[in-house]
Amino acid sequence: MLSREPLRVVRDFTCDSRRWAGYRPRENDVIIATAPKVGTTWMQQIVNLLIFQSPEPRRLMEFSPWIDCRFRGPIEQMLSIIEAQTHRRFLKSHLPLDALPIYDEVRYIHVARDGRDACMSLLNHYNSFTPEALETFDKIGLSDETIGRTFPRLPKTQREFFLHWIGDSENDSALRASNFFFRLERSFWTERRRPNLLLVHYNDLKADLSGEMKRIAEFLGISTPDSLWPSLVEAASFEAMKRDGGTLMPQAERLFIGGAQTFFYKGTNSRWREVLTDADVDLYEWKIKTELSPALIRWLTEGRLVAGDPRTSAD
């Protein structure tokens, strides 16, 4: 049953929220909705392992389609693929929750990460686009009257890219810089007490992968034999995903110079500490205080294991 229709439309170089209009939910569908570069593919792999109860690597974009993606073919083709799936469906989105439909029978999982870490990872993403990918994004931007321009060629060094990201204006919303990032996080935080929404943090996956996977499995109503569990956790590790990257993300060869090995870059946090000045960090701290509540700031910065369960947070 539809609990809430989308409250707004999001159109940028990679996503168009209108593509969800033809989605028809099934009982226990899973939607993994996140900002870019916060652990989306990691969560897709975790849910894949839990649903199929096997450590065998699978092509994630085939088994877990990205509905709002503008560069993976017509929406009719994608919806046809989704309708033909017979397994428990788990879909990907890079939209804010207020741009998605919310159905009572669907499970939503949101992964978050400190904005500075997401920014550093996003730079690797942008720096690695192939000429073919950039040409595709140029065409999308020029063909959409709400964008009306080619994909900008952005600063390539870490500090300069961060300053561009944090100095975001509304005119840069199509690039998913800091304003978009913080608004996206607010959209999920506002709805955090919904029983069919689970908030997961990148820090917690790094600190206790097995524990977080058990929490996700419980949320999805999935039980796993004890004998199988270690192999699923190992298959969800960064090392295993980088090793199996060619199978998990074969389409990365067309998008990124270096393919899947570039896409699965380092999987680490705090790289920003080596490049940002004290003034840069102060700028970030000022920005989040103007955009987010204190409780959301703490959770976004530290994760559930340190900041506590978002559902019990007062603000």
Side-chain angles (χ1 to χ4, degrees):
M1 179 178 178
L2 182 63
S3 173
R4 196 215 64 201
E5 294 181 348
L7 303 178
R8 64 186 179 111
V9 171
V10 170
R11 293 159 65 179
D12 57 37
F13 287 101
T14 57
C15 295
D16 185 344
S17 63
R18 298 173 300 172
R19 289 170 64 94
W20 280 88
Y23 165 67
R24 298 297 176 261
R26 291 182 192 165
E27 187 77 23
N28 288 323
D29 274 356
V30 182
I31 295 176
I32 299 163
T34 73
K37 308 312 296 177
V38 300
T40 319
T41 309
W42 197 358
M43 184 57 65
Q44 286 178 282
Q45 172 68 339
I46 289 170
V47 174
N48 161 58
L49 295 165
L50 292 173
I51 286 176
F52 288 101
Q53 293 287 283
S54 166
E56 175 189 354
R58 294 174 184 82
R59 296 186 176 205
L60 291 177
M61 290 307 293
E62 292 181 12
F63 284 88
S64 179
W66 177 9
I67 290 184
D68 34 279
C69 180
R70 304 186 77 161
F71 55 88
R72 297 208 185 280
I75 184 58
E76 295 79 11
Q77 176 183 339
M78 183 170 291
L79 291 174
S80 177
I81 292 171
I82 293 169
E83 285 299 314
Q85 290 182 330
T86 57
H87 61 267
R88 183 175 181 181
R89 303 186 305 187
F90 56 113
L91 310 172
K92 167 184 171 179
S93 175
H94 276 322
L95 294 175
L97 190 55
D98 57 2
L100 283 169
I102 300 179
Y103 294 93
D104 292 337
E105 66 270 33
V106 174
R107 295 279 170 169
Y108 297 79
I109 300 177
H110 173 64
V111 186
R113 191 180 188 185
D114 186 300
R116 293 162 293 195
D117 291 314
C119 175
M120 293 294 105
S121 187
L122 191 62
L123 172 61
N124 177 68
H125 214 58
Y126 284 157
N127 276 350
S128 302
F129 282 140
T130 63
E132 179 185 357
L134 291 170
E135 182 180 351
T136 297
F137 299 143
D138 285 344
K139 290 178 179 177
I140 290 171
L142 290 172
S143 65
D144 188 329
E145 67 275 10
T146 67
I147 302 173
R149 55 180 171 144
T150 59
F151 188 85
R153 277 39 174 184
L154 301 168
K156 291 185 175 296
T157 60
Q158 291 172 314
R159 181 167 182 262
E160 284 69 25
F161 181 79
F162 168 80
L163 292 174
H164 175 88
W165 181 85
I166 198 68
D168 175 30
S169 69
E170 285 303 315
N171 291 331
D172 289 327
S173 61
L175 288 173
R176 293 176 168 254
S178 61
N179 283 347
F180 187 96
F181 178 83
F182 293 131
R183 182 171 180 178
L184 183 147
E185 292 305 331
R186 288 199 307 269
S187 76
F188 285 93
W189 186 257
T190 299
E191 302 284 355
R192 66 191 181 280
R193 294 189 180 90
R194 283 185 177 268
N196 60 333
L197 170 63
L198 182 70
L199 271 58
V200 180
H201 200 283
Y202 193 96
N203 289 10
D204 301 333
L205 291 169
K206 293 283 291 182
D208 183 10
L209 179 57
S210 178
E212 287 301 289
M213 285 180 64
K214 288 180 179 178
R215 180 169 166 258
I216 295 161
E218 180 180 4
F219 174 71
L220 297 178
I222 297 173
S223 59
T224 301
D226 291 343
S227 59
L228 179 61
W229 189 255
S231 66
L232 299 187
V233 175
E234 192 279 331
S237 67
F238 177 81
E239 294 75 18
M241 291 183 67
K242 192 174 181 72
R243 178 196 67 210
D244 298 332
T247 301
L248 297 173
M249 300 287 288
Q251 74 282 357
E253 297 297 327
R254 298 190 304 274
L255 284 174
F256 303 106
I257 299 168
Q261 291 303 300
T262 298
F263 181 84
F264 295 108
Y265 183 48
K266 289 188 175 181
T268 58
N269 283 334
S270 298
R271 280 182 280 144
W272 54 270
R273 295 183 185 277
E274 301 171 1
V275 295
L276 300 186
T277 67
D278 289 344
D280 298 337
V281 175
D282 288 344
L283 177 60
Y284 177 84
E285 298 288 348
W286 171 83
K287 185 71 175 281
I288 60 174
K289 288 176 182 176
T290 64
E291 296 281 347
L292 309 177
S293 69
L296 175 51
I297 290 173
R298 187 164 186 233
W299 180 76
L300 188 61
T301 304
E302 299 176 329
R304 181 185 63 89
L305 293 176
V306 175
D309 188 343
R311 285 178 176 166
T312 63
S313 174
D315 65 351

